[in-house]
Amino acid sequence: MLQDKWIQLAVVDDHPIVLHGLERLFAQEPHISIAGFFTTGAAFIDFMADNEVQVVLLDIALPDINGAELCRKIKQLSPATCVLAFSSHSERAVIMQLLQNGASGYLLKNIAAPELMQCLEEALNGQITFSTEVKKIMARPSAGELEPVLPLTKREKQILHLIADGKTNAAIAAVLLLSVLTVETHRKNLMQKFGVKNAAALIKAATQHQLL
Amino acid sequence: MLQDKWIQLAVVDDHPIVLHGLERLFAQEPHISIAGFFTTGAAFIDFMADNEVQVVLLDIALPDINGAELCRKIKQLSPATCVLAFSSHSERAVIMQLLQNGASGYLLKNIAAPELMQCLEEALNGQITFSTEVKKIMARPSAGELEPVLPLTKREKQILHLIADGKTNAAIAAVLLLSVLTVETHRKNLMQKFGVKNAAALIKAATQHQLL
DNA sequence: TTTTTTCTACCGGATTATTGGTAGTTTCTG
DNA sequence: CAGAAACTACCAATAATCCGGTAGAAAAAA
């Protein structure tokens, strides 16, 4: 832990028992000063307007805002503030979303106290840190659930991107100097490969397969 | 580093100079055994069929396959193998994609040798690790580039998800017990809020705004 | 209680997409 | 060089979406 410096830590969680437990835990830490406990995102954003916080432990299920969205807001208001997600949600997509929004780590609520302190220290030292269970999730290949899709040809990928851009078949034909009927065929082939029936489902599936 | 144990490390990079430099660097490490250097994904996948590798340093721009895709394949073939992306690409989307596919870290190629060894050690100890520059990128709020979208109502979110599932207006009406005309109005309102002209662009935009 | 917001519904015409495949040419691969 | 794969084009019928707003009822908020 940074020596002889008080770390202003805030906790945003809508469960009072959690807040109580964390309060007791941190009370024993000589270098951590509890800036506050908050049960809503709005309350914490208000608090940040006049108070500096170095670290936030952030639940993601809050009554007034999604934690990922709150994370983004916190980082926009105070980029130096270190946000650690602190949640019982263990889905990979949720973890990735918090990272995407600038979180410096993700801890599951089943974390042991010593590990929690370890992760806090790492985060304060600039690390991006995860509790052990989260590391296991991250290390797993993620797309086992996705049905593999037939490989797309070069032209198909081009057409796919243009469809995702919202272009009509006629517009795509103009861009690629093709017949509209050719574009229709490519679109039909794409939908067949993904096993979908319209463009909306095609774009969603392509995104899931990381083709967009 | 794990004591008295040889770490089988492989490098997959299509630049011979990089391979040469890493070879010299690791030659000085008593516990690292170079399993091999590979310039294509296919060559490495072949190698893995008969050889165990604990750690892979993986470039993402390879001649025959995208590094993110290769990462996914490696983790599918050998979930215990630790993959560290090793790249000059510093875009956040690329970093997230590697993490999504199970990478245990992401290092930029401008990393200093001591830091590289440090990250290797952390990765081998089960950490998810990033070089300093990457941590800076990760800590930045990411969505400053996205134009904010008007908030969606509860009903709009429902409609959006059903559109993304590929359902027609008639199907959505049946599911939600609404008139088809009502669903059309919601769809129109959604497209207006996102500033798009069709369902494909709507789904892409909604994905970018993390609404799907 | 009043005002605002959300939800619901309208609806015909124009536009676009989807459907059902078939098939010739060009490019690529072995 | 031969075979396979990719790309191109066909095309009418049908289905679905998009467009232009307006407007009343219900729910929520002040």
Side-chain angles (χ1 to χ4, degrees):
Chain A
M1 199 69 68
L2 299 170
Q3 294 89 343
D4 300 327
K5 284 209 162 213
W6 287 85
I7 299 301
Q8 297 295 325
L9 178 145
V11 181
V12 189
D13 195 298
D14 63 333
H15 293 112
I17 298 290
V18 170
L19 299 182
H20 188 65
L22 289 169
E23 186 172 17
R24 291 176 65 87
L25 178 68
F26 293 128
Q28 303 169 14
E29 285 299 316
H31 295 304
I32 290 179
S33 170
I34 304 301
F37 292 101
F38 306 87
T39 55
T40 69
F44 182 62
I45 293 293
D46 277 350
F47 179 83
M48 279 186 69
D50 299 309
N51 299 274
E52 190 173 331
V53 175
Q54 276 83 40
V55 180
V56 192
L57 276 183
L58 185 69
D59 195 2
I60 61 172
L62 296 169
D64 62 332
I65 190 173
N66 174 274
E69 189 53 33
L70 181 55
C71 177
R72 188 207 310 275
K73 288 192 171 194
I74 293 168
K75 295 299 288 189
Q76 280 170 344
L77 289 170
S78 175
T81 297
C82 178
V83 180
L84 287 178
F86 187 65
S87 174
S88 22
H89 288 85
S90 58
E91 300 83 21
R92 184 194 196 86
V94 178
I95 299 166
M96 299 301 294
Q97 202 170 55
L98 268 295
L99 293 181
Q100 178 71 15
N101 291 3
S104 300
Y106 196 105
L107 316 179
L108 284 175
K109 280 186 170 175
N110 64 2
I111 195 172
E115 192 184 1
L116 171 58
M117 302 315 303
Q118 172 76 26
C119 288
L120 259 173
E121 184 167 351
E122 289 173 357
L124 285 162
N125 284 336
Q127 307 287 12
I128 296 170
T129 185
F130 305 96
S131 57
T132 300
E133 292 297 315
V134 177
K135 286 174 200 161
K136 288 176 183 171
I137 293 160
M138 299 287 287
R140 259 186 240 134
S142 69
E145 320 88 44
L146 279 176
E147 209 165 302
V149 73
L150 292 167
L152 302 192
T153 69
K154 184 179 164 191
R155 204 51 142 175
E156 285 171 342
K157 286 172 182 171
Q158 274 189 306
I159 302 285
L160 179 62
H161 280 274
L162 292 168
I163 292 173
D165 288 340
K167 287 182 162 53
T168 63
N169 288 343
I172 294 171
V175 166
L176 298 179
L177 302 178
L178 298 173
S179 162
V180 168
L181 300 173
T182 300
V183 177
E184 283 178 20
T185 300
H186 285 303
R187 183 192 284 253
K188 176 165 35 190
N189 291 341
L190 280 164
M191 299 206 301
Q192 202 160 32
K193 284 187 171 179
F194 284 93
V196 297
K197 299 266 187 181
N198 63 27
L202 176 66
I203 300 310
K204 182 185 175 185
T207 301
Q208 286 174 331
H209 286 87
Q210 297 180 354
L211 293 162
L212 283 173
Chain B
M1 197 68 66
L2 299 170
Q3 295 90 343
D4 301 324
K5 280 210 166 216
W6 288 84
I7 300 301
Q8 298 293 326
L9 179 143
V11 180
V12 189
D13 194 299
D14 62 334
H15 294 111
I17 299 290
V18 170
L19 298 183
H20 188 65
L22 289 169
E23 186 173 17
R24 291 178 65 87
L25 177 67
F26 292 128
Q28 302 171 16
E29 284 299 314
H31 295 303
I32 290 180
S33 171
I34 304 301
F37 291 100
F38 306 87
T39 55
T40 68
F44 182 61
I45 293 293
D46 277 351
F47 179 82
M48 279 187 69
D50 299 308
N51 298 275
E52 190 174 332
V53 175
Q54 276 83 42
V55 179
V56 192
L57 277 182
L58 185 68
D59 196 1
I60 60 173
L62 295 169
D64 62 331
I65 190 173
N66 174 275
E69 189 54 35
L70 181 54
C71 178
R72 187 207 312 273
K73 288 192 170 194
I74 292 167
K75 296 298 287 187
Q76 278 172 344
L77 289 170
S78 175
T81 297
C82 178
V83 180
L84 288 177
F86 188 66
S87 173
S88 22
H89 287 84
S90 59
E91 300 82 22
R92 184 194 195 84
V94 177
I95 298 166
M96 299 301 296
Q97 200 168 57
L98 267 294
L99 293 181
Q100 179 70 17
N101 290 3
S104 298
Y106 196 106
L107 316 179
L108 285 174
K109 280 186 172 177
N110 63 2
I111 197 171
E115 192 185 3
L116 171 57
M117 302 315 304
Q118 173 74 27
C119 287
L120 258 173
E121 184 167 351
E122 287 172 359
L124 285 162
N125 284 334
Q127 307 287 12
I128 296 170
T129 185
F130 305 95
S131 57
T132 299
E133 293 297 315
V134 177
K135 287 173 200 161
K136 287 176 183 171
I137 292 160
M138 299 287 286
R140 263 186 237 134
S142 71
E145 321 89 42
L146 278 176
E147 208 165 305
V149 73
L150 292 167
L152 302 191
T153 68
K154 183 179 165 192
R155 205 51 143 172
E156 285 171 343
K157 286 175 183 169
Q158 275 188 305
I159 303 285
L160 178 62
H161 280 272
L162 292 168
I163 293 173
D165 287 340
K167 287 184 162 55
T168 63
N169 287 343
I172 293 170
V175 167
L176 299 179
L177 302 179
L178 299 173
S179 163
V180 168
L181 299 172
T182 300
V183 177
E184 283 181 22
T185 301
H186 285 304
R187 182 191 284 252
K188 178 164 35 188
N189 291 341
L190 281 164
M191 298 206 302
Q192 203 160 30
K193 283 187 171 179
F194 284 93
V196 297
K197 299 262 185 186
N198 63 27
L202 174 67
I203 300 311
K204 183 184 174 187
T207 301
Q208 286 173 331
H209 287 87
Q210 297 180 354
L211 292 162
L212 284 174

